[in-house]
């Protein structure tokens, strides 16, 4: 039904036009996870830096994003996502990053709402953040605790697939 999206506490806007995004376009599957509920209320991605969620996020990234953005988000046909420069500064926030993925941007950056579930978007966002290689001080999406321990990504430090999936991929307790 058309009322589902109205439950979100926040309003989400298209990255280019500012038009309000209709969450009712989201796939039915993956709407009801705890992480999605939290995200729609707070704009904060509870999967960030959760080791149990990163391998799934990587898998989605390699299927849905790396063809255009490079396998480490280093940039290819699309811009680099692993550095501190953003065409759209709002992508420094999880809310902004979600809006760009869900609603798309210009050209080849099409909306992903019919390709990925909301939960998958949060997973791929967490992996995209994990690939960040620049100064943690500019990682606005991290909270203070996360920023203290965040290590900029380096390809030789660890292969993406080497991160052990420990425990359940569910939101981290605060
Ligand atoms: C732009 C993420 C898939 C091509 C962007 C931006 C983000 C992003 C965050 C804005 C970057 C900035 O502000 O600097 C993603 C993610 C994807 C994905 C997470 C997978 C879920 C794709 C695919 C293509 C693509 C499959 C090619 C078919 C582009 C292009 C831009 C872009 C050309 C520049 C658009 C503009 O400047 O308006 N992407 N993207 N992306 N992406 Fe993607
Ligand atoms: Ca960039």
């Amino acid at each position: 039904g058309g009322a589902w999206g109205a439950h979100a506490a926040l309003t989400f806007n298209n990255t280019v036009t500012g038009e309000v995004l209709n969450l009712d376009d989201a796939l039915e599957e993956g709407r009801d996870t705890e992480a999605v509920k939290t995200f729609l209320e707070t704009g904060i991605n509870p999967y960030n830096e959760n080791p149990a969620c990163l391998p799934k996020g990587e898998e989605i990234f390699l299927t849905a994003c790396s063809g255009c953005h490079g396998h480490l988000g280093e940039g290819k046909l699309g811009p680099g996502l692993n550095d501190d420069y953003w065409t759209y500064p709002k992508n420094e926030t999880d809310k902004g990053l979600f809006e760009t993925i869900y609603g798309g941007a210009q050209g080849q950056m099409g909306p992903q709402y019919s390709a990925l579930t909301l939960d998958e978007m949060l997973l791929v966002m967490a992996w995209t953040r994990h690939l960040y290689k620049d100064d943690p001080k500019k990682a606005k999406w991290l909270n203070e605790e996360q920023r203290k321990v965040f290590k900029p990504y380096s390809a030789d430090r660890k292969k993406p697939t080497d991160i052990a999936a420990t425990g359940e991929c569910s939101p981290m307790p605060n």
Side-chain angles (χ1 to χ4, degrees):
W4 182 81
H7 291 297
L10 300 170
T11 302
F12 297 91
N13 300 86
N14 182 280
T15 293
V16 178
T17 65
E19 201 183 325
V20 174
L21 296 171
N22 184 1
L23 293 177
D24 292 325
D25 290 335
L27 296 172
E28 294 277 342
E29 197 192 327
R31 284 182 175 186
D32 296 330
T33 67
E34 282 307 311
V36 167
K37 285 180 203 162
T38 302
F39 178 74
L40 295 179
E41 274 171 34
T42 63
I44 289 167
N45 183 2
Y47 289 153
N48 283 346
E49 293 307 295
N50 182 337
C53 302
L54 295 175
K56 289 190 199 174
E58 181 201 5
E59 209 180 297
I60 300 162
F61 188 88
L62 293 176
T63 316
C65 320
S66 66
C68 296
H69 289 282
H71 75 294
L72 297 175
E74 73 275 21
K76 211 172 162 182
L77 177 146
L81 304 176
N82 65 347
D83 55 59
D84 62 13
Y85 175 80
W86 300 96
T87 308
Y88 307 100
K90 73 170 193 179
N91 288 320
E92 289 175 334
T93 68
D94 287 332
K95 183 172 182 282
L97 181 60
F98 170 81
E99 290 170 330
T100 300
I101 296 170
Y102 186 91
Q106 300 193 72
Q108 298 253 55
M109 185 62 207
Q112 303 295 312
Y113 62 77
S114 57
L116 300 174
T117 70
L118 294 177
D119 198 62
E120 286 171 334
M121 289 182 206
L122 298 183
L123 289 166
V124 85
M125 284 162 59
W127 182 253
T128 304
R129 295 318 196 185
H130 189 71
L131 288 172
Y132 179 70
K133 64 169 180 60
D134 286 341
D135 187 351
K137 283 196 206 97
K138 293 188 184 170
K140 292 201 181 148
W141 56 89
L142 297 175
N143 65 37
E144 266 179 62
E145 289 305 303
Q146 292 170 327
R147 199 169 295 122
K148 268 185 220 152
V149 296
F150 184 84
K151 295 213 175 37
Y153 191 86
S154 97
D156 56 310
R157 177 167 56 87
K158 213 178 230 178
K159 283 208 204 102
T161 39
D162 287 349
I163 293 165
T166 44
E168 287 269 318
C169 174
S170 53
M172 298 282 245
N174 283 317

